[in-house]
Amino acid sequence: MKRTAPKTQSITVSDVARVANVSKATAARVLGGYGVVSDTIRANVMAAAKALDYRPNELARSMTTGRSGIIGVVVGDIENPFFSLAVRGISDAARAAGFNVILANSGERIEAERAAVRLLIGKRVDGLIVTPSESRDISHLRDIHRSGRPLALLDRALPDLDVDTVTVDDRDIAMRATRILVDAGHSKIAYVTAVDAEGNEYRDLGQIYTSSVRERIDGFLKVCRDAGIDRPERHICLGATSPDETRKLADKLLSGPDRPTAILASDSLIALEIFKVMRQRGLRIPQDISLITFHDADWTSVTTPPITVVDQPVYALGKSVAELLIRRLKGEARPTERLILPTTIIERGSVGPPAAYKL
Amino acid sequence: MKRTAPKTQSITVSDVARVANVSKATAARVLGGYGVVSDTIRANVMAAAKALDYRPNELARSMTTGRSGIIGVVVGDIENPFFSLAVRGISDAARAAGFNVILANSGERIEAERAAVRLLIGKRVDGLIVTPSESRDISHLRDIHRSGRPLALLDRALPDLDVDTVTVDDRDIAMRATRILVDAGHSKIAYVTAVDAEGNEYRDLGQIYTSSVRERIDGFLKVCRDAGIDRPERHICLGATSPDETRKLADKLLSGPDRPTAILASDSLIALEIFKVMRQRGLRIPQDISLITFHDADWTSVTTPPITVVDQPVYALGKSVAELLIRRLKGEARPTERLILPTTIIERGSVGPPAAYKL
DNA sequence: GTGAAAGCGCTAACAA
DNA sequence: TTGTTAGCGCTTTCAC
């Protein structure tokens, strides 16, 4: 005797086949859109499917085909407009190619990233796009590769991992941004970034495990040193990992006697908090202090004054990395590609000569 | 003869069982964490699994159990900070309960919403959270219900659909916002919103198919009429569906001789574009024109002047709806709940008396 | 406590 | 062109 099924009984290929008076295989062929079926039978089956309100079970389908039509995406923080824009680029490219996207957030925590990757592999996504939160422990990324699924990296390169990668030239762009500040006469320039390090004290590059961050710091220091600035690393602030932390950090940074005359912020979320603290402390931009930030976020153009920004091609970054991945998914075998997209600086009104000069 | 597998052969329960010298069923029991197994055997199986680097196939697991541990979420626009914050609320609640989240974007297009729902049902998610883009055609939402999976609605209620819903009181909050403007002396108040209607001409409420939008317009009109404002519906602008469209709309709105003296924007993306256009046209806030917007977006507090906003409990909205859904997923049978979360208005500096008063 | 066997809904050989 | 038959990797009776 058949017990009542605990979960809702759904209509299967067999049900449709029975009603249409054909074999399961034939019904499956028209329902699945493969193989060849005569027009009459096709019509019958379609009618039966419609009558029964048949819905394919994608799970079963993926299980037998080994394909899911899904691209897994793991980003650092979906609330960061940088990532949501990149994700739109990815989604648009995916949709255009008939793929769907599953999104997972790592919150920039490596364990969450590992878990997300594990989940997505478990769900048998066809390929993954990851923004690796650090370069120290990338075993889970190697695992992807080993599982036979293509992986592509977004925004952050991993020298040790030979996979398709799309980034910008972070070192170069940091140099250009810093140079703007140096050229304006600044010599006390702070660089504020989100890396979490013990005590938030910067010691050396080897301590930074996120490639983009490391490259930017490298570029920043290079320009400072070339300009004869003494020990510029003193003004590197790590630990701006949340609005709260950033505010604390900014408050400390802007209160000391050794206050910087210019700040370079590594993303728009950080810059926003810094901007707020500056305001709150009555610091005028750019008369009292200058500010440049990475990412041309919405708000940067509506403040008074508007903020000078590093404009990364975020949407294109996402679109390109998805296209690269999709080409591999479609079977294209080619050497690994590492795309570096061009970046510009939008000069607005937040940079001026250091306060001292005007006295 | 066995052909080479086309796709990477993964380690299965059978493989582990063979190595551990137990039956498939026993291996499955320890690997799946169910049933009873002796400690010795458990240890053996675990060792074998580790040695072989076994990874469970979630697909197969979901197929037999009928559960996936996944909550499907369909939102209007993930780039809208309103939604990304709500999604974080959902994700946090989901994670806390051991669920994962798959995110799909509808772009506020009903066909995309249908497709997303179909995909998620096909993937056999355990339940869905949807921000319905309109109330006219909700057959796909009824389908969810019919498929036996729980559905919960976020931010937009559907009177005809008896499912758990979490919203704010849009009518009330629109009334309060409008009243602030009226009390400041305004009588030419524009309401700008994103609904797409033919010719972007507002005729009557019946034309608006998004519940939140309808309620807000209703509240707006009510307060205007109570204040004796003549035909306030003249100043309702529909069609602010993208930054570009919004800019055009705002440009037209602010150029005519009948220019409003105050604007109420239905979301922060719209308000931002309006703000930019105001700036560009040299309109001073609040001397020349007043502005209030829904959603306490980041940028609204850093402009000069900062913007008065309707502060919805966005994170809580997401968290609550997820919790409601999860309780159902865990088998709780109870009558449908319709939560309405309280909302406040943060008065900042963007509202003043109408320009005419000061002349 | 453990094993054998059936089956989830689908696709993919192969035969007819 | 259509049908038969095996699986995919897992869980789940039901015996032992």
Side-chain angles (χ1 to χ4, degrees):
Chain A
M1 196 182 85
K2 212 173 179 181
R3 256 200 256 115
T4 314
K7 45 168 185 147
T8 315
Q9 199 69 17
S10 23
I11 306 297
T12 73
V13 174
S14 300
D15 298 322
V16 176
R18 197 176 329 106
V19 172
N21 261 316
V22 294
S23 75
K24 216 178 76 174
T26 304
R29 275 191 267 260
V30 358
L31 263 17
Y34 58 93
V36 231
V37 204
S38 71
D39 286 353
T40 14
I41 291 203
R42 155 163 291 111
N44 282 349
V45 173
M46 290 305 262
K50 183 144 218 174
L52 294 174
D53 191 28
Y54 166 81
R55 316 289 185 88
N57 183 333
E58 299 292 343
L59 241 50
R61 189 170 277 175
S62 316
M63 207 163 100
T64 50
T65 59
R67 280 165 284 118
S68 61
I70 292 193
I71 294 175
V73 178
V74 183
V75 296
D77 174 14
I78 192 58
E79 279 186 87
N80 188 325
F82 177 92
F83 287 118
S84 32
L85 184 51
V87 166
R88 187 154 67 81
I90 293 174
S91 300
D92 286 355
R95 182 162 353 145
F99 284 91
N100 285 107
V101 168
I102 295 189
L103 200 58
N105 222 42
S106 76
E108 301 289 10
R109 284 163 296 116
I110 187 75
E111 330 81 55
E113 184 181 306
R114 310 177 77 82
V117 165
R118 200 180 321 122
L119 172 78
L120 293 171
I121 294 188
K123 294 296 175 198
R124 296 300 190 262
V125 295
D126 291 346
L128 283 102
I129 295 174
V130 178
T131 302
S133 62
E134 61 167 79
S135 57
R136 247 178 318 182
D137 184 359
I138 54 170
S139 55
H140 56 300
L141 299 182
R142 294 191 192 284
D143 284 355
I144 298 176
H145 204 65
R146 199 141 44 87
S147 84
R149 278 155 238 291
L151 162 69
L153 262 30
L154 171 63
D155 184 50
R156 298 168 190 170
L158 251 25
D160 292 351
L161 209 61
D162 187 35
V163 299
D164 290 335
T165 304
V166 181
T167 58
V168 295
D169 188 340
D170 281 294
R171 184 163 183 277
D172 173 67
I173 195 71
M175 288 178 64
R176 280 157 59 198
T178 310
R179 202 166 288 131
I180 288 179
L181 263 10
V182 166
D183 287 351
H186 294 275
S187 56
K188 275 199 290 193
I189 308 173
Y191 182 81
V192 184
T193 185
V195 167
D196 211 0
E198 320 96 83
N200 293 341
E201 294 254 325
Y202 175 81
R203 288 189 311 275
D204 61 81
L205 279 181
Q207 167 197 17
I208 309 297
Y209 301 109
T210 309
S211 70
S212 56
V213 177
R214 193 175 43 234
E215 301 224 336
R216 290 178 188 180
I217 292 182
D218 190 30
F220 166 75
L221 290 176
K222 167 105 173 73
V223 170
C224 288
R225 286 185 182 130
D226 285 357
I229 295 173
D230 180 44
R231 294 195 295 131
E233 59 276 4
R234 280 179 308 161
H235 293 112
I236 291 179
C237 304
L238 309 178
T241 48
S242 72
D244 262 6
E245 289 299 321
T246 305
R247 219 169 300 129
K248 279 184 213 156
L249 230 129
D251 226 39
K252 201 169 131 212
L253 186 67
L254 296 175
S255 66
D258 199 30
R259 192 179 74 202
T261 58
I263 295 186
L264 182 53
S266 74
D267 75 40
S268 66
L269 261 28
I270 294 176
L272 181 67
E273 295 309 319
I274 293 179
F275 183 91
K276 286 184 192 163
V277 172
M278 286 177 173
R279 268 256 177 116
Q280 193 183 299
R281 302 185 75 94
L283 292 171
R284 293 163 307 160
I285 304 174
Q287 295 88 335
D288 299 323
I289 192 159
S290 294
L291 177 64
I292 295 184
T293 182
F294 276 77
H295 188 54
D296 180 25
D298 276 344
W299 66 268
T300 57
S301 67
V302 295
T303 49
T304 309
I307 312 294
T308 294
V309 300
V310 170
D311 182 28
Q312 294 139 299
V314 189
Y315 178 84
L317 227 43
K319 190 148 180 277
S320 310
V321 74
E323 284 168 350
L324 242 39
L325 183 74
I326 289 166
R327 276 162 53 196
R328 269 205 204 283
L329 289 178
K330 297 211 161 150
E332 189 182 292
R334 52 164 166 72
T336 296
E337 248 177 87
R338 290 177 185 264
L339 250 52
I340 296 178
L341 268 36
T343 304
T344 57
I345 290 186
I346 302 178
E347 299 206 39
R348 296 204 265 242
S350 62
V351 175
Y357 276 40
K358 290 197 304 283
L359 292 181
Chain B
M1 197 183 83
K2 210 175 181 179
R3 257 200 255 114
T4 316
K7 45 173 187 145
T8 314
Q9 199 67 20
S10 24
I11 306 298
T12 73
V13 175
S14 300
D15 297 323
V16 176
R18 196 173 333 108
V19 171
N21 261 316
V22 295
S23 75
K24 216 177 79 174
T26 305
R29 276 191 266 260
V30 357
L31 262 17
Y34 57 93
V36 233
V37 203
S38 71
D39 287 354
T40 15
I41 289 204
R42 155 163 291 111
N44 283 348
V45 172
M46 291 306 262
K50 181 144 217 173
L52 294 174
D53 191 27
Y54 166 81
R55 316 287 185 88
N57 182 333
E58 299 293 343
L59 240 50
R61 188 169 279 172
S62 314
M63 205 164 99
T64 50
T65 59
R67 279 165 286 114
S68 63
I70 292 194
I71 294 175
V73 178
V74 183
V75 296
D77 173 15
I78 192 58
E79 278 186 87
N80 187 326
F82 177 92
F83 288 117
S84 35
L85 184 51
V87 166
R88 185 154 68 82
I90 294 175
S91 300
D92 287 354
R95 182 165 353 158
F99 284 91
N100 284 108
V101 168
I102 295 189
L103 199 57
N105 223 42
S106 76
E108 301 289 9
R109 284 164 296 118
I110 186 76
E111 329 81 55
E113 184 180 307
R114 310 176 77 82
V117 166
R118 200 179 320 123
L119 172 81
L120 293 171
I121 293 187
K123 295 294 175 198
R124 296 300 188 263
V125 295
D126 291 347
L128 282 102
I129 295 173
V130 178
T131 303
S133 63
E134 60 167 78
S135 57
R136 247 179 315 181
D137 184 0
I138 55 170
S139 56
H140 57 298
L141 299 182
R142 295 192 193 285
D143 284 354
I144 298 175
H145 204 66
R146 199 140 44 88
S147 84
R149 278 153 237 292
L151 162 68
L153 263 30
L154 171 63
D155 184 49
R156 298 168 191 170
L158 251 23
D160 292 350
L161 208 62
D162 188 35
V163 300
D164 290 336
T165 304
V166 182
T167 58
V168 296
D169 188 340
D170 281 293
R171 184 164 183 278
D172 173 67
I173 194 72
M175 289 178 65
R176 280 158 58 200
T178 310
R179 201 167 287 129
I180 288 179
L181 263 11
V182 165
D183 287 350
H186 294 274
S187 57
K188 275 199 290 195
I189 308 173
Y191 183 79
V192 184
T193 186
V195 168
D196 210 359
E198 318 97 82
N200 292 341
E201 294 255 324
Y202 175 82
R203 286 189 312 274
D204 61 82
L205 278 182
Q207 166 196 19
I208 310 295
Y209 302 108
T210 309
S211 71
S212 56
V213 177
R214 193 174 44 236
E215 302 224 335
R216 288 178 189 181
I217 291 182
D218 189 31
F220 167 74
L221 290 176
K222 167 110 175 68
V223 170
C224 286
R225 287 185 181 129
D226 285 357
I229 294 174
D230 179 44
R231 294 195 295 129
E233 59 276 5
R234 280 178 308 159
H235 293 111
I236 292 180
C237 304
L238 309 180
T241 48
S242 72
D244 262 6
E245 289 299 321
T246 305
R247 221 169 298 129
K248 279 184 215 157
L249 231 130
D251 228 40
K252 201 169 130 212
L253 186 67
L254 296 176
S255 65
D258 199 32
R259 193 179 73 201
T261 58
I263 294 185
L264 182 52
S266 73
D267 76 40
S268 67
L269 260 27
I270 294 176
L272 181 65
E273 295 309 319
I274 292 178
F275 183 90
K276 286 184 192 165
V277 172
M278 286 176 173
R279 268 257 176 114
Q280 192 183 297
R281 302 186 73 93
L283 292 170
R284 292 162 308 160
I285 304 173
Q287 295 89 334
D288 299 323
I289 192 159
S290 293
L291 176 65
I292 295 184
T293 182
F294 277 77
H295 188 55
D296 181 26
D298 277 343
W299 66 269
T300 56
S301 67
V302 295
T303 48
T304 310
I307 313 294
T308 293
V309 299
V310 170
D311 182 27
Q312 295 139 300
V314 188
Y315 178 85
L317 228 42
K319 190 150 182 277
S320 309
V321 74
E323 284 167 351
L324 242 40
L325 183 74
I326 289 165
R327 275 162 53 196
R328 275 211 198 279
L329 289 178
K330 297 211 161 148
E332 189 182 292
R334 51 164 166 72
T336 295
E337 246 177 89
R338 290 178 185 264
L339 250 52
I340 295 179
L341 268 35
T343 303
T344 57
I345 289 186
I346 303 178
E347 300 206 38
R348 297 206 264 242
S350 62
V351 175
Y357 275 42
K358 291 197 303 288
L359 292 183

